[in-house]
Amino acid sequence: QNLYFSFLLTQYPIQVLLIFAKEDNQSNGFWWACDRAGYRCNVAWTLESALECFLDKHQEIIVIDHRNSKYFDQFMENTSVTACYNELVQIEHGEVRSQFKLRACNAVFTALDHCQEAVEITSEDHVIQYVNPAFERMMGYCKGELIGKELTELPKSDRNSADLLDNINTFIKKGKEWQGVYYARRKSGDSIQQHVKITPVVGQGGWIFCRRKDSVDVKSITSQSSDAPSLQTRRYSSMARIHSMTIEAPITKVINIINAAQENSPITVAEALDRVLEILRTTELYSPQLGTKDEDPHTSDLVGGLMNDGLRRLSGNEYVFSKNMNLSHTHLPVPNTINDVPPCIAQLLDNEESWDFNIFELEAVTNKRPLVYLGLKVFARFGVSEFLNCSEATLRAWLQVIEANYHSTNSYHNSTHAADVLHATAFFLGKERVKGSLDHLDEVAALIAATIHDVDHPGRTNSFLCNAGSELAVLYNDTAVLESHHTALAFQLTMKDSKYNIFKNIDRNRYRTLRQAIIDMVLATEMTKHFEHVNKFVNSINKPMSESSDTECTANIKNFPDNQTLIKRMMIKCADVANPCRPLELCIEWAGRISEEYFAQTDEEKRQGLPVVMPVFDRNTCSIPKSQISFIDYFITDMFDAWDAFAHLPVLMQHLANNYKHWKTLDDLKCKSLRLPSENNN
């Protein structure tokens, strides 16, 4: 008995069709071999069922039980599962995968035609076989002028070192890729610097050249001050990406490119690249390194207090825990009933679309319940009830229960802060470029995230909770403790009663997408990843935006959900800490409130013998202007520069400049309070 194989190409996972006249040890052997290999297997016992199954599934491998045929590859009968398995795997890695690659050729060349990097493919004899449109644009040639010509026939630049081509040939002959800087001459005669990657092709032979035109300022690489991202400084472009069968992390590719570039660089550049590699091999790629504590204690304390989840060490290796610490509520307060909006509140809310809207006036007239009233107005403007298919009564009840779980006793993290963040988020969503980049679901998710983002906040930082060994810190493993609690509690409250379950009427898929977006945004407000979020936004949104039109920019964002995610994260982050960009009087009030909350934390840390997370926030010695200057310099300026470049926010940036000047003036006069004493007396 002989067994024969034929092949057809579809897609992974591999599908196998067994065509046997009857079940026997051989058919069972192939069946179990398919199971071991992870293939999908069908068995047909008649010609009719075989044809029907093939037309339905289009299997890649077909095993036919046939006698005395000369027309197929033969497999001598062997009922061993291992033998059958080896035969099938050999076929997959041979003919089947080869056909996969051949079938993908049209798609590959279509991708190359649309690739932004210039690509040139030559034969082993250096005859040009293909160039893509990007290559034509870069070099100034038409495809017809290049195909069939040898590389030696094209003009060369005299700016390359004499031994560069020999160096490249040495790499290629060893079957290795070469990467580095190469000067090419365009059809016009101009010499341009390119970053080139040359890949030898195994099998038929030939080379693939990938080129990207770029200029590199060595001074900006070696400068100590170039660590911080800048909107005005162009990023050092990456090499063209070539598909590889091996799986490689992006950071590994970057390090390999730099290593290759060092081999062809002057000593000063090679030394600078050594320093780059040292930085890239660290784990904290997005966390700026501060100087000593003595240089800037305000900045150092802010960073330590806001960006550290971990516990602060005392003497020795022990941590102090307060076993009785429990800042989570076991009894949730019952919200009050709210009737129609009083005229004084309605009149105040007429101005809610303005950035200069005074949230403290709303706090006063609503008896510290601004979130419900502002939420109803904003949610109505953005059609949230319509999107969720829920009644206004349900939405109102939900806003009530969320606001009831903010702590009105907190000087800063209370429902007024939540309302302020909701107001800022709604303002940003109204900006043209933001609106054009996001979908309705994104808008609804952002408004809900802003509303819940600090619910049940205890008025203490994550570092405090971890140091105190609180139940929340234990529950969330000292990682994003508060942010995880805010989202979890908000969804628990929402699902607890149908009366305020705003998600009860949307389908499961939409709910899961909405829920994930809300969680992602709230977690983005956690400060340990602040610089990661900002740098990703700058590199993925700002820089490509500066190289394309508004229409192209919006299309690119809408086509890539990851970019929409970066925008939503940046939006809620900016809304969360927008106090320095508010009008001066509002900015001063917020500065006083956050300072008081930090003072209270320091007081409690001292009472309980806990590590003092932010020593400069001692109510007897703290300079509030210095703390505000440090916060703006370290966290606010770069982030709002990036957000302004995207959303266009001239009013905010002017307020920021005015407020910074106010704090600098106070600091220059050695004043430690919110205002000059003479202003306090007026």
Side-chain angles (χ1 to χ4, degrees), residues 455-471:
V455 68
D456 198 36
H457 196 294
R460 300 290 182 265
T461 64
N462 278 331
S463 293
F464 177 94
L465 299 183
C466 293
N467 287 339
S470 74
E471 289 184 8

Side-chain angles (χ1 to χ4, degrees), residues 447-641:
L447 295 173
I448 294 173
T451 303
I452 70 168
H453 85 282
D454 271 335
V455 68
D456 198 36
H457 196 294
R460 300 290 182 265
T461 64
N462 278 331
S463 293
F464 177 94
L465 299 183
C466 293
N467 287 339
S470 74
E471 289 184 8
L472 287 181
V474 173
L475 178 62
Y476 294 111
N477 301 313
D478 297 339
T479 304
V481 175
L482 286 171
E483 293 72 24
S484 299
H485 175 60
H486 302 322
T487 49
L489 178 64
F491 278 98
Q492 288 168 2
L493 292 171
T494 304
M495 300 302 183
K496 188 176 181 182
D497 193 319
S498 178
K499 287 186 297 187
Y500 38 77
N501 184 355
I502 58 175
F503 305 124
K504 61 187 176 185
N505 294 327
I506 59 176
D507 65 68
R508 183 186 300 273
N509 289 337
R510 175 171 282 197
Y511 168 70
R512 289 190 63 81
T513 304
L514 187 65
R515 170 176 158 80
Q516 191 55 53
I518 294 166
I519 292 171
D520 184 83
M521 278 185 275
V522 176
L523 292 181
T525 64
E526 195 245 346
M527 294 299 286
T528 60
K529 293 187 177 180
H530 170 80
F531 295 100
E532 179 177 344
H533 292 316
V534 173
N535 282 317
K536 284 182 177 178
F537 183 86
V538 169
N539 289 325
S540 298
I541 305 296
N542 287 139
K543 291 185 178 179
M545 183 181 71
S546 67
E547 300 167 2
S548 60
S549 67
D550 269 4
T551 305
E552 291 173 328
C553 173
T554 302
N556 286 337
I557 291 169
K558 283 230 172 186
N559 290 334
F560 294 97
D562 285 352
N563 285 343
Q564 290 179 309
T565 298
L566 293 177
I567 291 170
K568 288 182 288 185
R569 289 174 182 171
M570 190 71 159
M571 177 169 61
I572 196 168
K573 280 181 62 60
C574 289
D576 190 28
V577 292
N579 309 153
C581 298
R582 293 289 188 181
L584 179 60
E585 286 307 308
L586 304 185
C587 170
I588 291 172
E589 176 65 22
W590 284 122
R593 292 188 177 203
I594 191 63
S595 298
E596 176 54 40
E597 198 164 285
Y598 288 161
F599 293 158
Q601 176 170 310
T602 300
D603 292 343
E604 186 168 354
E605 286 166 336
K606 290 179 178 179
R607 283 197 306 270
Q608 294 194 27
L610 295 171
V612 177
V613 172
M614 296 181 283
V616 295
F617 283 98
D618 183 314
R619 66 175 70 251
N620 299 314
T621 59
C622 179
S623 166
I624 294 178
K626 279 188 185 297
S627 70
Q628 287 296 307
I629 291 167
S630 294
F631 184 65
I632 293 171
D633 283 340
Y634 198 73
F635 291 106
I636 298 299
T637 302
D638 287 345
M639 181 168 71
F640 271 91
D641 278 344

Side-chain angles (χ1 to χ4, degrees), residues 349-415:
L349 288 172
D350 285 341
N351 192 40
E352 59 89 10
E353 293 187 43
S354 166
W355 179 254
D356 294 347
F357 176 72
N358 192 326
I359 197 71
F360 299 116
E361 290 182 2
L362 184 63
E363 176 191 62
V365 298
T366 60
N367 193 25
K368 295 189 176 181
R369 288 185 294 165
L371 186 57
V372 170
Y373 292 102
L374 181 66
L376 286 172
K377 183 76 184 290
V378 169
F379 280 34
R381 179 153 61 91
F382 283 89
V384 174
S385 291
E386 292 79 2
F387 179 87
L388 297 173
N389 191 26
C390 74
S391 66
E392 184 182 342
T394 302
L395 186 59
R396 184 183 302 225
W398 179 79
L399 286 166
Q400 287 178 265
V401 80
I402 294 298
E403 181 155 41
N405 282 276
Y406 276 92
H407 299 197
S408 60
T409 53
N410 290 344
S411 59
Y412 182 88
H413 287 102
N414 48 41
S415 69

Side-chain angles (χ1 to χ4, degrees), residues 202-375:
V202 179
Q204 296 294 322
W207 298 1
I208 298 176
F209 298 76
C210 280
R211 307 166 184 242
R212 173 172 285 191
K213 179 183 175 183
D214 199 23
S215 59
V216 182
D217 181 359
V218 177
K219 292 180 182 178
S220 70
I221 296 176
T222 57
S223 169
Q224 291 286 342
S225 64
S226 65
D227 289 345
S230 168
L231 295 178
Q232 288 73 35
T233 304
R234 289 181 58 84
R235 177 177 50 178
Y236 185 99
S237 298
S238 63
M239 296 294 185
R241 297 173 180 85
I242 295 294
H243 175 72
S244 171
M245 295 301 290
T246 58
I247 298 174
E248 206 173 15
I251 191 64
T252 308
K253 292 181 180 179
V254 171
I255 290 173
N256 288 342
I257 291 169
I258 294 173
N259 282 330
Q262 283 182 304
E263 298 178 9
N264 306 285
S265 302
I267 186 65
T268 54
V269 176
E271 289 174 354
L273 292 177
D274 273 334
R275 182 172 170 271
V276 171
L277 288 172
E278 287 177 17
I279 296 170
L280 290 178
R281 289 187 175 110
T282 66
T283 55
E284 298 299 326
L285 293 179
Y286 291 97
S287 298
Q289 295 174 330
L290 295 175
T292 64
K293 228 172 160 57
D294 294 335
E295 290 176 5
D296 189 0
H298 287 81
T299 300
S300 184
D301 281 3
L302 278 170
V303 174
L306 299 178
M307 296 189 65
N308 285 337
D309 277 330
L311 306 173
R312 289 253 174 139
R313 288 189 182 275
L314 296 175
S315 58
N317 294 317
E318 299 301 319
Y319 295 113
V320 171
F321 294 91
S322 176
K323 294 183 180 179
N324 297 323
M325 191 75 183
N326 180 10
L327 292 170
S328 61
H329 288 304
T330 54
H331 299 289
L332 301 175
V334 179
N336 296 320
T337 302
I338 299 177
N339 298 317
D340 293 335
V341 177
C344 61
I345 298 176
Q347 185 177 357
L348 198 59
L349 288 172
D350 285 341
N351 192 40
E352 59 89 10
E353 293 187 43
S354 166
W355 179 254
D356 294 347
F357 176 72
N358 192 326
I359 197 71
F360 299 116
E361 290 182 2
L362 184 63
E363 176 191 62
V365 298
T366 60
N367 193 25
K368 295 189 176 181
R369 288 185 294 165
L371 186 57
V372 170
Y373 292 102
L374 181 66

Side-chain angles (χ1 to χ4, degrees), residues 1 3 16-37 39 41-45 63 65 75 77-86 88:
Q1 183 183 31
L3 300 166
V16 178
L17 174 60
L18 306 180
I19 304 176
F20 279 77
K22 62 180 181 179
E23 182 177 356
D24 57 14
N25 290 338
Q26 188 64 74
S27 66
N28 289 335
F30 275 108
W31 173 271
W32 290 113
C34 290
D35 182 69
R36 180 191 293 183
Y39 301 157
C41 184
N42 294 97
V43 183
W45 307 111
V63 181
D65 181 359
F75 171 77
E77 184 173 3
N78 188 332
T79 60
S80 164
V81 173
T82 300
C84 297
Y85 171 82
N86 289 337
L88 291 172

